[in-house]
């Protein structure tokens, strides 16, 4: 599991999971998942990501091998005696509504992240969805990151609000889905909810809306991006993590996290998330090439372009 490569450009902490997933068409057990797995896999075409997480003694060797094949630095993955984190969920017919059936923290309940020395100088940090206490712990171990993004979910909003608020005040970008933004702020209207979240500290707030894409808010502007319309969604699990991982991975190559770079990074996130949902677990992401990403990006950019309304051209619908 130990790779002898130095520095990483991006450190990601989150869950390493074995998921049981049921969609209206299929049911799969023990699928390799977890927020850090999806995020690192989707970041890997853009950057060298180092994963921080914990797996139990039941974690299959093939899963470790698969993660390594993405080129992910695995020095921050601990393997300890006990059971791997397990999550099980079921999707409704629309594939956009999900019910969590169970969450078993298992080895995550006593996980204490210890970052390898080579990770501590990483310029980019993505605190993927996991207990905010662990996210804070990792944040404190990276010396002076240039850009920190964090994701969260309803469970932590309900059960760990205090550390979550502390975390939010210390990050550059917060990502969360629409329901979570409402729950965290008490504001039904998303624009108001985003305003409240920006007040808490982050420069950027990304509100994810599943198959409807995402909204980027900063104090200066709002940016909207639809999702890429894939022909068949087989398993939406991990879409949000893949989106965020690719977004931060892409951003880690940009000279600055400017508003334009963040918008381009959202497009990269959208494209990688669209591949992730075409199969269970990391199957599809493992099979795509750089040329597949480039060609889907071209198609996507064609889909969101409004001819004649581009920059420098007519923007007035009456001219
Ligand atoms: P997403 O579909 O992007 O929300 O991510 C789904 C992934 O998150 C699954 O692979 C789960 O194993 C993982 N997950 C589910 N619940 C949690 C939780 N409470 N903490 C961390 N990871 C979770």
């Amino acid at each position: 599991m130990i790779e002898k490569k130095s520095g990483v450009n991006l450190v990601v902490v989150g869950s390493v999971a074995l998921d049981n997933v049921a969609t209206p068409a299929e049911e799969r057990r023990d699928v390799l998942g977890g927020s850090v797995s999806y995020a690192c896999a989707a970041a890997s075409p853009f950057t060298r990501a180092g994963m921080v997480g914990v797996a139990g003694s039941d974690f299959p060797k093939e899963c470790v091998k698969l993660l390594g094949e993405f080129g992910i630095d695995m020095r921050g993955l601990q393997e300890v005696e006990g059971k791997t984190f397990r999550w099980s969920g079921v999707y409704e017919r629309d594939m956009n509504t999900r019910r969590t059936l169970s969450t078993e923290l298992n080895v995550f309940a006593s996980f204490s992240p210890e970052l390898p020395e080579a990770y501590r100088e990483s310029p980019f940090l993505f605190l993927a969805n996991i207990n905010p206490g662990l996210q804070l712990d990792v944040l404190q171990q990276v010396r002076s990151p240039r850009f920190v993004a964090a994701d969260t979910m309803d469970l932590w909003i309900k059960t760990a609000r205090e550390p979550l608020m502390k975390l939010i005040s210390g990050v550059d970008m917060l990502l969360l889905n629409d329901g979570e933004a409402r729950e965290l702020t008490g504001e039904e209207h998303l624009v108001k909810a985003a305003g409240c979240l920006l007040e808490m500290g982050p420069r950027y707030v990304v509100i994810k809306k599943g198959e409807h894409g995402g909204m980027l808010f900063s104090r200066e502007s709002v940016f909207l991006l639809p999702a890429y319309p894939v022909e068949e969604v087989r398993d939406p699990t991990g879409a949000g993590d893949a989106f965020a991982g690719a977004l931060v991975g892409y951003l880690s190559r940009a000279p600055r996290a400017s508003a334009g770079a963040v918008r381009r990074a959202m497009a990269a996130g959208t494209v990688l998330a669209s591949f992730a949902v075409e199969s269970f677990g990391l199957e599809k992401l493992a099979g795509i090439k750089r040329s597949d990403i480039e060609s889907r990006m071209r198609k996507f950019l064609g889909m969101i372009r409004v001819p004649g309304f581009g920059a420098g051209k007519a923007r007035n619908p009456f001219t």
Side-chain angles (χ1 to χ4, degrees):
M1 186 177 299
I2 304 215
E3 269 186 59
K4 284 270 174 275
K5 290 218 179 99
S6 58
V8 293
N9 209 22
L10 167 66
V11 164
V12 187
V13 62
S15 55
V16 177
L18 295 172
D19 293 336
N20 293 337
V21 182
T23 70
E26 262 176 286
E27 204 173 323
R28 291 275 199 102
R29 300 185 70 77
D30 295 340
V31 181
L32 169 60
S35 54
V36 77
S37 313
Y38 282 109
C40 284
S44 67
F46 304 110
T47 198
R48 183 155 173 83
M51 99 164 11
V52 178
V54 63
S57 36
D58 59 349
F59 194 60
K61 291 283 165 284
E62 310 86 76
C63 293
V64 178
K65 185 162 170 276
L66 178 64
L67 291 167
E69 283 166 4
F70 278 97
I72 300 166
D73 187 306
M74 311 278 285
R75 283 173 292 182
L77 177 66
Q78 295 178 20
E79 213 180 296
V80 302
E81 201 52 49
K83 279 175 73 183
T84 299
F85 175 91
R86 283 180 177 267
W87 172 80
S88 88
V90 54
Y91 289 89
E92 308 284 326
R93 279 173 66 90
D94 68 2
M95 292 289 251
N96 215 24
T97 317
R98 167 168 92 189
R99 256 182 317 120
T100 289
L101 299 179
S102 66
T103 303
E104 295 171 33
L105 289 181
N106 298 328
V107 291
F108 262 101
S110 53
F111 177 50
S112 170
E114 179 72 33
L115 262 58
E117 194 49 40
Y119 285 22
R120 294 177 192 242
E121 300 296 337
S122 176
F124 283 77
L125 181 56
F126 176 41
L127 307 164
N129 174 34
I130 192 65
N131 181 334
L134 291 177
Q135 293 175 305
L136 278 169
D137 199 349
V138 170
L139 177 60
Q140 278 148 12
Q141 292 182 50
V142 178
R143 289 194 185 101
S144 48
R146 264 173 47 208
F147 190 88
V148 182
D151 195 352
T152 192
M153 74 180 294
D154 51 357
L155 176 68
W156 310 119
I157 297 172
K158 287 192 187 81
T159 63
R161 204 180 177 93
E162 211 178 297
L164 181 60
M165 298 304 272
K166 184 169 172 208
L167 177 82
I168 293 173
S169 70
V171 302
D172 298 286
M173 174 184 278
L174 174 69
L175 301 110
L176 72 187
N177 72 30
D178 45 358
E180 292 155 2
R182 292 189 173 105
E183 190 170 347
L184 188 56
T185 60
E187 284 287 356
E188 273 307 303
H189 184 51
L190 286 182
V191 178
K192 287 205 176 120
C196 281
L197 294 168
L198 286 170
E199 287 290 304
M200 296 176 192
R203 267 165 69 201
Y204 297 108
V205 170
V206 177
I207 299 188
K208 299 172 287 177
K209 298 176 71 187
E211 65 173 344
H212 304 297
M215 305 168 86
L216 168 72
F217 294 88
S218 69
R219 275 172 200 82
E220 296 76 34
S221 64
V222 180
F223 174 65
L224 310 173
L225 207 57
Y228 180 88
V230 296
E231 281 180 17
E232 193 193 4
V233 176
R234 281 187 68 204
D235 171 19
T237 310
D241 306 314
F243 169 82
L247 187 163
V248 185
Y250 178 94
L251 206 54
S252 73
R253 295 161 69 112
R256 278 188 325 111
S258 62
V262 174
R263 290 181 182 204
R264 288 189 288 280
M266 275 187 66
T270 302
V271 167
L272 268 292
S274 76
F275 285 117
V277 301
E278 289 181 315
S279 73
F280 283 78
L282 304 182
E283 284 166 15
K284 180 75 187 218
L285 289 176
I288 54 169
K289 298 185 292 293
R290 197 181 158 131
S291 57
D292 298 317
I293 298 172
E294 287 165 354
S295 106
R296 187 164 289 188
M297 178 66 94
R298 270 195 302 277
K299 274 196 195 161
F300 181 56
L301 295 176
M303 287 173 184
I304 57 177
R305 203 177 131 255
V306 184
F309 271 14
K313 298 196 186 137
R315 290 173 192 215
N316 182 338
F318 299 105
T319 57

